[in-house]
Amino acid sequence: MYFKWVLPLSYWFSDLKNPSLIMLAILIFFFSHWFLSLFFHSFFLHRFASHKMYTTSKNWEKVFYVTTWLVQGSSFLVPRAYGVMHRMHHVYSDTEKDPHSPHFFKDVYHMMQHTIIIFRGFLTGKNLPDAQFTKEYLPVWDKLDRFGHHILTRLSFGAAYTAFYIYFAPNAWWFLLLPIHFMMGPIQGAVVNWCGHKYGYSNFDNGDHSKNSSPWGILLMGELFQNNHHYAKDDANFAKKWFEFDLTYFVMRGLNAVKIIQLIPVASQK
Ligand SMILES: [Zn+2]
Ligand SMILES: [Zn+2]
């Protein structure tokens, strides 16, 4: 009962003795964090902040912004830095100037390190991006960016994830999942950047190493259709073949239907 105050959720399970239900609570927490963080990564950071594939009202933009921060928590990716870096990735795809091409690093860890240095450089102003990458609209919310990026905010989220596991985990092995919670945003980015430009098949010749993965791509909500996406970077639908499915786009069609967002039609493709 020592951590009973930590999360309201704990009250639902306070008399719980069934180990499989306890395990279920942890798995729900883990997969909710995985998919919510990934969805807002793809839907807001990638398809809005970087590519502006839809328009929305200022209020909804703020809702998406706050939710992205909440679900990414300890590993919040500041939208303007993400957007600029991602635009660079498209222009310099798989060349030396690409901020995260797997073809210039011996492993994913070194690629991530390099990406984080560029990301921090944009945030601190030490390394300013080329003007061409800030020309298009970039969502900025200074106060939230500063608060969300602050080390104490990040540590508080980390402490909350840890508290959940202290309360629910039946043994220490479950704590191995905690680093994934701490680094959720960058880990998902690294999986997409590494695998999406290294493993899989191509539908189009884009002059780079972008690849598609199917059906595993479903776990990354459409983001692993890098080859399709590099071919038509403004098209909100990353799936191009009948056997490909882009879950993020599917949700976006729903949001478009209820008029929360307005998808911008892609007039002409290459
Ligand atoms: Zn790519
Ligand atoms: Zn993109």
Side-chain angles (χ1 to χ4, degrees):
M1 296 299 141
Y2 46 105
F3 265 100
K4 194 167 180 170
W5 51 273
V6 171
L7 287 170
L9 190 62
S10 64
Y11 289 101
W12 306 347
F13 290 87
S14 55
D15 291 323
L16 212 63
K17 298 280 183 290
N18 186 336
S20 50
L21 277 181
I22 291 173
M23 211 162 77
L24 186 69
I26 299 176
L27 291 177
I28 289 174
F29 180 61
F30 181 80
F31 284 107
S32 304
H33 192 192
W34 176 272
F35 280 106
L36 283 171
S37 170
L38 182 61
F39 174 74
F40 281 92
H41 190 152
S42 182
F43 167 71
F44 186 68
L45 295 176
H46 189 190
R47 303 190 204 207
F48 184 78
S50 311
H51 294 300
K52 197 79 196 288
M53 292 171 176
Y54 58 90
T55 54
T56 189
S57 69
K58 268 284 156 205
N59 283 341
W60 276 116
E61 186 182 319
K62 283 198 182 307
V63 170
F64 301 152
Y65 210 121
V66 169
T67 314
T68 303
W69 163 63
L70 277 174
V71 297
Q72 290 200 321
S74 61
S75 65
F76 174 54
L77 298 167
V78 178
R80 67 191 147 91
Y82 180 96
V84 162
M85 209 163 64
H86 188 72
R87 288 172 192 175
M88 282 174 68
H89 168 62
H90 276 269
V91 170
Y92 301 129
S93 183
D94 291 319
T95 68
E96 229 160 323
K97 283 179 159 181
D98 185 339
H100 44 64
S101 170
H103 301 278
F104 292 91
F105 301 95
K106 66 175 177 188
D107 56 42
V108 70
Y109 174 75
H110 284 88
M111 185 185 77
M112 271 176 87
Q113 244 187 350
H114 180 75
T115 314
I116 289 168
I117 290 169
I118 298 179
F119 185 85
R120 286 207 186 121
F122 289 158
L123 280 179
T124 55
K126 268 188 201 157
N127 173 21
L128 287 174
D130 201 289
Q132 60 171 311
F133 302 116
T134 52
K135 219 167 50 198
E136 304 288 324
Y137 177 72
L138 276 169
V140 175
W141 190 342
D142 257 332
K143 272 188 187 155
L144 182 57
D145 291 347
R146 269 202 304 272
F147 183 69
H149 183 57
H150 199 282
I151 185 69
L152 288 180
T153 312
R154 293 190 185 278
L155 288 174
S156 306
F157 273 104
Y161 309 147
T162 309
F164 184 93
Y165 277 75
I166 289 174
Y167 189 85
F168 283 106
N171 59 57
W173 288 105
W174 290 95
F175 285 77
L176 291 175
L177 289 176
L178 272 172
I180 302 179
H181 288 284
F182 296 152
M183 293 290 287
M184 190 63 90
I187 285 174
Q188 291 173 336
V191 170
V192 169
N193 297 329
W194 186 268
C195 302
H197 280 252
K198 218 169 161 69
Y199 313 117
Y201 61 93
S202 308
N203 290 328
F204 308 101
D205 180 7
N206 300 324
D208 61 6
H209 297 285
S210 55
K211 298 276 190 291
N212 298 318
S213 311
S214 203
W216 304 111
I218 184 87
L219 290 174
L220 273 300
M221 297 192 78
E223 287 291 322
L224 277 180
F225 296 125
Q226 284 289 308
N227 179 258
N228 294 347
H229 172 53
H230 277 263
Y231 173 72
K233 75 173 178 59
D234 297 319
D235 189 347
N237 185 6
F238 292 7
K240 296 281 174 253
K241 301 276 184 195
W242 65 267
F243 54 86
E244 297 169 347
F245 178 65
D246 178 357
L247 185 54
T248 301
Y249 179 64
F250 183 76
V251 177
M252 287 168 76
R253 294 250 321 251
L255 293 172
N256 185 66
V258 296
K259 300 195 176 357
I260 289 176
I261 65 169
Q262 293 77 43
L263 284 167
I264 299 172
V266 183
S268 59
Q269 294 181 10
K270 275 194 253 174

